[in-house]
Amino acid sequence: MTFSIHPGGISRRQLLIAGTAAAAATALPLRAFADDLPVLDWWDVFGTLTDVHQEIWDAFAAEGKARVVYTHTNPASAMQSLQLAFRSGELPDVYDMGGDPAQLAALYEAGWFAPMDGLVFDKPFQKDTLVEGQTVFDGKQCSLPIFSNLWHNDNLWYHAEAMSAAGGDVEAGVASWEDMRAIAAKATTGGKYGLLLPLQFTTRMADMVIDMAMAAGAPGIFDPKTGEYAYASEPFVETIAFLMSFQKDGSLHPASSSLDARQGRSRWAAGEALFFFDGPWNSGVLASSAPEVLDSSGVSNVPTPGGVPPIIGRGVQPGSFYMSGQSEHPELVVELLQNLTTDDYYVAIAEGMDQPPLDLSAVERANVHPTYKTVVNNFSTTMVRLPDPLVANPSTAQVFSRMRTIEPGLGEIIQGAFAGAFSDVKPYLQQYNDAMTAERERAISAAKADGFDVSADDWVFPNWVRGENYTG
């Protein structure tokens, strides 16, 4: 659906910013010596939260604690930048990173992050996120979640006027694969295309296909009923075939192969394509960079075969921010991060319209654009909790930490399919699936040899029911 209304009134975030700014102004004389304060380096990809964080950083400096130097990173290259920084002993004091348990345990052992001793994180929804091998290592909290992970990347954004011209229903959006393909074909005319995909960003494409395959019926990356990986299952094969159908129709923007997510979003916002799959943060990005585009856009949930209601699962909640194991100011970092645990903060980040806040109830108290509420409301009917081996047996973290990266991964296979490297994707998905199975078996054996009680049965949850929140 489309909207032409800007949220009115003064937002909670604006009030927070104003209040903090007033406090900072009152303390302004003390800032004369800000250059003498300790410096904390902070890297993250959350451009929509910069204003909220800047006020917190300014207040922290005004209190004579420390001065924060911020670097806004690109999701497509952030991990590579962090690797280079770690090797040179210059890992930022605070940084964001994905929550892949296969990486986290190894990075913890290597000294990438340190326990956040002294951090108070005790509200029930906060305590629920404290899971060994994900946010906790050796019994100590090592990362700070600020977002809920009950969201997905596959919201279908569209330009209302072009949608209507192509025969689509602007208010209802698009529910089925069949309708999306037909509308995209009609919208492809006069140098404009039906769909743009960020094919250069292989990690994003892999995440997109995993979620879309789950919406199409896949249990997840593994089947909790059997514990077996599901990368070669029919929903994965059909999802990739569906996305490639736009290329066959000529409705896929030809620049897709050379664009990452940010570049793709910019080209879509410029009107070069009707459809673009993106996360909830598209509302926040457009609100700050192209509000007129946001007001003339619509968004619907991820389409599915036949338009059946989508179901997408998530395991345990990952962290958002980490404190560097190389930081010279761990106590100051913890004190600074404590500001990211309050109700006002959760409301403020909701108003930043990025990923939904850890406290989902904050969205109702926030002043946000209607498209953001539409997206978050869709999550409430789509997202469910999956069983997670880390919860069933924390020692599985030792398996994840011993698993090596399989190449080519899912993202590279998708990229190869679009590049025409092969005509049938299923054998390559099967090879990847088999390689992941073998690597997990090897890592289980290695962990058992080191004294950990783990087995492939830790991935089996016979009482799991698709579409229901798993509670054990």
Side-chain angles (χ1 to χ4, degrees):
M1 63 182 58
T2 185
F3 304 93
S4 58
I5 312 168
H6 252 319
I10 299 174
S11 71
R12 183 73 170 270
R13 182 164 71 96
Q14 288 170 318
L15 287 173
L16 175 66
I17 289 172
T20 312
T26 302
L28 193 57
L30 299 178
R31 295 290 311 281
F33 305 101
D35 289 344
D36 297 328
L37 296 176
V39 174
L40 302 180
D41 288 315
W42 180 308
W43 294 8
D44 72 41
V45 301
F46 308 124
T48 58
L49 302 183
T50 303
D51 287 348
V52 176
H53 289 164
Q54 187 64 58
E55 297 304 326
I56 291 173
W57 302 333
D58 287 348
F60 204 63
E63 293 168 2
K65 301 290 180 56
R67 181 167 59 90
V68 175
V69 176
Y70 176 61
T71 299
H72 184 202
T73 54
N74 186 332
S77 57
M79 192 61 196
Q80 183 180 18
S81 298
L82 288 170
Q83 289 170 336
L84 293 172
F86 178 76
R87 289 171 192 158
S88 61
E90 297 177 348
L91 200 62
D93 297 272
V94 180
Y95 58 92
D96 78 293
M97 191 172 59
D100 182 356
Q103 286 185 327
L104 293 179
L107 296 178
Y108 172 67
E109 293 294 333
W112 272 57
F113 41 87
M116 297 176 176
D117 294 334
L119 185 77
V120 178
F121 201 65
D122 57 2
K123 297 182 177 69
F125 64 87
Q126 294 173 334
K127 293 170 69 175
D128 286 346
T129 69
L130 300 178
V131 175
E132 184 72 30
Q134 185 66 272
T135 55
V136 175
F137 292 88
D138 290 337
K140 295 185 177 181
Q141 183 175 355
C142 290
S143 64
L144 176 68
I146 63 170
F147 299 119
S148 165
N149 70 336
L150 294 176
W151 56 270
H152 63 75
N153 285 305
D154 295 349
N155 310 284
L156 185 62
W157 294 82
Y158 51 85
H159 298 291
E161 186 175 343
M163 177 79 154
S164 181
D169 187 326
V170 173
E171 296 299 322
V174 183
S176 73
W177 285 2
E178 299 81 4
D179 285 349
M180 180 182 168
R181 185 176 178 183
I183 295 168
K186 289 182 181 177
T188 301
T189 180
K192 296 186 178 181
Y193 296 87
L195 174 67
L196 191 151
L197 293 171
L199 291 171
Q200 189 188 63
F201 192 179
T202 54
T203 302
R204 177 64 59 81
M205 287 303 304
D207 290 342
M208 179 188 299
V209 165
I210 290 170
D211 286 348
M212 200 173 292
M214 277 195 277
I221 62 172
F222 72 93
D223 185 346
K225 288 283 189 184
T226 64
E228 297 175 352
Y229 282 110
Y231 291 110
S233 63
E234 281 306 305
F236 275 85
V237 176
E238 292 169 358
T239 294
I240 295 174
F242 164 64
L243 293 176
M244 292 190 66
S245 70
F246 295 90
Q247 187 179 54
K248 292 176 182 175
D249 293 345
S251 59
L252 180 68
H253 196 304
S256 294
S257 61
S258 61
L259 301 176
D260 64 21
R262 287 186 177 176
Q263 295 163 335
R265 184 184 302 112
S266 295
R267 301 284 286 266
W268 169 81
E272 296 183 20
L274 168 60
F275 292 126
F276 186 64
F277 289 108
D278 207 352
W281 49 80
N282 198 34
S283 293
V285 173
L286 293 179
S288 61
S289 62
E292 71 285 359
V293 175
L294 180 60
D295 287 341
S296 60
S297 296
V299 60
S300 58
N301 209 343
V302 54
T304 61
V308 299
I311 296 171
I312 299 176
R314 288 288 183 271
V316 297
Q317 173 72 50
S320 305
F321 287 111
Y322 294 80
M323 177 173 72
S324 168
Q326 298 173 343
S327 176
E328 296 178 355
H329 308 288
E331 294 180 355
L332 284 172
V333 171
V334 169
E335 186 174 354
L336 178 62
L337 291 178
Q338 190 69 61
N339 292 288
L340 278 56
T341 65
T342 67
D343 181 66
D344 281 348
Y345 178 72
Y346 292 131
V347 172
I349 61 173
E351 292 178 347
M353 297 186 288
D354 202 288
Q355 300 170 46
L358 186 61
D359 180 4
L360 286 171
S361 69
V363 176
E364 291 302 317
R365 300 190 295 279
N367 192 0
V368 298
H369 193 274
T371 54
Y372 189 74
K373 282 199 171 180
T374 296
V375 168
V376 174
N377 285 337
N378 286 339
F379 294 154
S380 68
T381 60
T382 302
M383 307 304 297
V384 296
R385 285 288 177 201
L386 291 173
D388 196 314
L390 285 171
V391 176
N393 180 3
S395 291
T396 55
Q398 300 300 323
V399 177
F400 288 122
S401 71
R402 287 163 173 77
M403 290 183 69
R404 299 167 298 194
T405 301
I406 303 297
E407 295 179 338
L410 178 59
E412 287 75 23
I413 292 172
I414 297 165
Q415 198 175 53
F418 275 93
F422 42 81
S423 58
D424 185 0
V425 72
K426 186 163 185 177
Y428 292 89
L429 292 176
Q430 188 63 58
Q431 288 178 25
Y432 179 65
N433 202 79
D434 294 345
M436 286 293 293
T437 300
E439 180 59 17
R440 187 176 67 185
E441 291 174 353
R442 186 201 63 77
I444 288 173
S445 296
K448 291 174 74 171
D450 290 337
F452 294 99
D453 184 14
V454 291
S455 76
D457 290 342
D458 291 322
W459 277 258
V460 180
F461 303 86
N463 60 341
W464 169 73
V465 178
R466 183 172 185 271
E468 295 183 4
N469 282 310
Y470 186 79
T471 57

